[in-house]
Amino acid sequence: MKLPFSESYKIKMVEPLYRSTYREREQWIRDARYNLFNLRSNQVFIDLLTDSGTGAMSDRQWAALMLGDESYAGSSSYYKLKDAIREITGFPYFLPTHQGRAAENVLFSAMIKEGDMVPGNSHFDTTKGHIEYRRAKAIDCTIDEAFDTTLNHPFKGNVDLKKLEKVLKENARDKIPMIIVTITCNSSGGQPVSMKNLRDVRKMADKYEIPVMFDSARFAENAYFIKTREKGFADISIREIVLQMFKNADVMTMSSKKDAIVNMGGFIAMNNKELFDRASIFNILFEGFISYGGMSGRDMNALAQGLYEGTEFDYLETRINQVAYLGKRLKDHGVPVQYPFGGHAIFVDAKRFLPQIPREEFIAQTLAIELYLEGGVRGVEIGTLLADRDPETGENRYPELEMLRLTIPRRVYTRDHMDYVAAALNNVFDRRQDIHKGLKIVKEAPILRHFTVELERD
Ligand code: F0G
């Protein structure tokens, strides 16, 4: 008998979970103003809000913490991290930051100015926020296939080269500070970008002399998809694929809270010394001296170790298989999900799940609330709330996809937990015709409103 697939790690430490009642959840979500970010974590049974900073560190990472060097300047932890980044990404220069958006803040302070255009593949919300905050524009050049959740395309994160070239052609070179490629592309469903596409973007960027930046939060998952889906890469190691990927970028930002499996941290890495010098000034202003930038020495040690573990094939296989397992349980029941399944999450197509709810009533948020009520499972809306209002017109922006993201923390939940989540959402699917009411905004912030928005149900 062929032996079945099984996880590549075992559990050494556990954390208790509280299984609440429907009644309790009704009260809690009302008190939270129908915003899942306002819930206390002990009001949640299975927390799929994000895979960011929610992973379980390994015994080796915890051991590395104890060797942290907390010297203000020149600590051994800084050099350990510098070596790991160089070995894994190939970039010789790096700046630590406290998380991914801090890396964006530092880098964009050095590179983006008012009136600029920044093309990319579905920029993540903080990335877009940092661009728009500088009165520049993020232009989405994702391939159209990404927006059809039923379409089977292996690399739905790809940049549409025609859309990209149009932006590069129609704008002066000094108006385009960079092209951003997000690997994997979170906003379109944790979808990967192929090596071919990365190389094609590089070629086009060279033609127009524009730097390329990779938003690299989930670069290792992207490499796994290249290995398993793209022709010619099956026999190449993840580490080698990662190096080949980053050859196509000038600079990267990293939220280490994802593929580097730490609870906090980030960095910028680059080839160019001149850019490093310019960005260093902002790093010192916003984050801290360049040898710690918002991180303690012990955290840099754990991050260095996490970069090695996060790029091991066996770990990635366990990770991606678990996400796909949940996806399959839902898909087999008829739940509309982004397909192929993404790297870090299953994205449920809320428009197809609840077609009777008008988009003005926040379809994906409505579904997220129903899932919470059903089983205490917390997902997150990736839809109209997240998309914010247009900064110029003040109107709601209605993205093509209204998604409920079920984001799987790394090395945290078991297969039984996935079965539980699938059962809860499948139950909601079975009673979907009885859901008639959406939500209304009572209070919202002008930017990144989904974190603090207050909603009501009639
Ligand atoms: N880029 C991408 C692609 C991301 O997914 C995130 C964060 C960031 C940048 C910002 O990094 O949180 O460390 O400041 N994504 C989290 C999520 C919040 O839930 O998807 P950060």
Side-chain angles (χ1 to χ4, degrees), residues 95-113:
L95 288 167
T97 63
H98 77 274
Q99 63 183 94
R101 69 200 68 185
E104 291 160 6
N105 188 32
V106 168
L107 185 70
F108 294 177
S109 295
M111 292 185 78
I112 298 181
K113 59 182 188 315

Side-chain angles (χ1 to χ4, degrees), residues 324-338:
Y325 176 78
L326 173 62
K328 188 168 173 336
R329 291 291 316 265
L330 295 169
K331 194 166 184 284
D332 287 350
H333 194 76
V335 173
V337 291
Q338 171 69 293

Side-chain angles (χ1 to χ4, degrees), residues 291-305:
S291 68
Y292 70 87
M295 294 186 74
S296 50
R298 56 180 172 270
D299 286 341
M300 288 193 279
N301 269 14
L303 168 52
Q305 174 64 23

Side-chain angles (χ1 to χ4, degrees), residues 84-92 181 183-184 195 198-199 202 212-220 222-223 226 238-254 259 267 269-271 307 311:
I85 291 172
R86 169 132 216 183
E87 190 178 332
I88 289 191
T89 69
F91 288 116
V181 189
I183 49 172
T184 60
M195 187 72 85
L198 294 176
R199 288 175 179 160
R202 170 83 262 169
V212 176
M213 180 202 118
F214 285 178
D215 175 352
S216 316
R218 300 177 183 87
F219 73 94
N222 200 87
I226 288 176
I238 294 288
R239 294 261 169 83
E240 176 56 31
I241 292 173
V242 168
L243 279 172
Q244 289 193 28
M245 279 164 38
F246 282 119
K247 277 220 171 83
N248 300 293
D250 300 288
V251 53
M252 67 179 278
T253 53
M254 177 73 187
D259 275 2
F267 61 86
M270 67 281 264
N271 279 324
L307 282 169
T311 48

Side-chain angles (χ1 to χ4, degrees), residues 50 99-101 104 124 126 186 215 218 255 258 405:
T50 180
Q99 63 183 94
R101 69 200 68 185
E104 291 160 6
F124 183 65
T126 59
N186 187 358
D215 175 352
R218 300 177 183 87
S255 168
K258 284 88 171 173
R405 187 183 75 173

